[in-house]
Structure formats: C-alpha cells, structure tokens
Amino acid sequence: MIQITLADLPTSLMEQMEGPVPPVDFISNGCSYSLDQWGGVDLRPACHWHDYAYQQGGCKRDRALADAALYRNLRRCDLGRFMANVYYRRVRLFGVVTFNWKPGKVPLNPWHYLLLFFNRYLQW
C-alpha cells in the first residue's frame, strides 16, 4: 500500500489546497482505488487533503464539504473539468464506506447501507 505524507508532496501544489491542513505525521494512501496521476497531473495533494477530511469525519454535511473541496483541489492541480467530475462522482458514490461517521450520523440512504454491508461483511 502506498503511504504519502506532506513531505512527499510538491510544495507548489500544497500551498493551493483548500481545507484543513493535514498534520506532518498524517499518512494517507493517495487516491484510493484511483490513479494518483492522470495525464501527467499529480493528484496526490488533493487526495491527501481529502483523506484527512474523511479521517476527521462528521456528518453528511461534512462529507459533502470534503467532496466539494476535493473537486476544487483537483482543478487546482490542473486536472480538467471532466476528469475532476469523474473523481468527484466516484467519491460521492463509494466514499460512504471510508468516511469516519460520528455516532448517530450514518445516513439513512439504502444505497449507503448496502455499501457499508459489503465493506464490513464481505471484504472484497
């Protein structure tokens, strides 16, 4: 598994990222289940910030804010609108299993429960 820290990321892109800055000792896996680079564009900073927001967790609103920031950060990394939208849509659909939900804040959407079930009991 890939492990990324702030020291591994280009400083020119880190300065442009939106959202809470991950601590120096925070380790992420980059763009989970997606490419860390697309067409020569380094997407790791956007994914690192997004992983930190997901680890902080919260409620549906916090997740939506983290995903919206991911889209904007991907655009700041110079990824085109189409591919940034593909990454955004994928994380909106499947990110429910990796988000750190606060007690009592798991959404009531049946799709989310199905994904949570597969993640917990069937472990792909």
Side-chain angles (χ1 to χ4, degrees):
M1 181 163 111
I2 298 173
Q3 292 189 341
I4 297 172
T5 63
L6 283 178
D8 301 323
L9 304 173
T11 55
S12 60
L13 287 175
M14 287 181 4
E15 295 168 353
Q16 299 176 30
M17 295 297 106
E18 172 187 329
V21 178
V24 176
D25 60 347
F26 175 70
I27 298 173
S28 77
N29 61 356
C31 301
S32 311
Y33 310 110
S34 299
L35 299 173
D36 287 338
Q37 292 190 348
W38 181 263
V41 177
D42 188 2
L43 307 176
R44 293 175 307 157
C47 294
H48 190 69
W49 255 251
H50 186 253
D51 286 354
Y52 181 66
Y54 263 44
Q55 183 192 39
Q56 294 302 302
C59 60
K60 287 189 327 186
R61 183 177 181 276
D62 297 322
R63 180 171 173 250
L65 290 172
D67 293 345
L70 171 70
Y71 175 82
R72 290 189 295 274
N73 287 339
L74 288 169
R75 295 288 292 138
R76 287 185 179 107
C77 289
D78 207 24
L79 188 65
R81 266 186 258 163
F82 178 78
M83 282 310 298
N85 197 28
V86 168
Y87 273 73
Y88 171 78
R89 296 291 172 194
R90 286 185 65 194
V91 80
R92 288 303 298 159
L93 280 173
F94 302 110
V96 67
V97 297
T98 58
F99 188 76
N100 185 17
W101 296 102
K102 298 296 181 204
K105 298 295 182 179
V106 177
L108 300 177
N109 184 331
W111 167 252
H112 294 162
Y113 282 114
L114 180 67
L115 287 174
L116 290 169
F117 169 79
F118 278 109
N119 187 56
R120 288 190 183 135
Y121 300 111
L122 299 181
Q123 293 298 318
W124 330 60

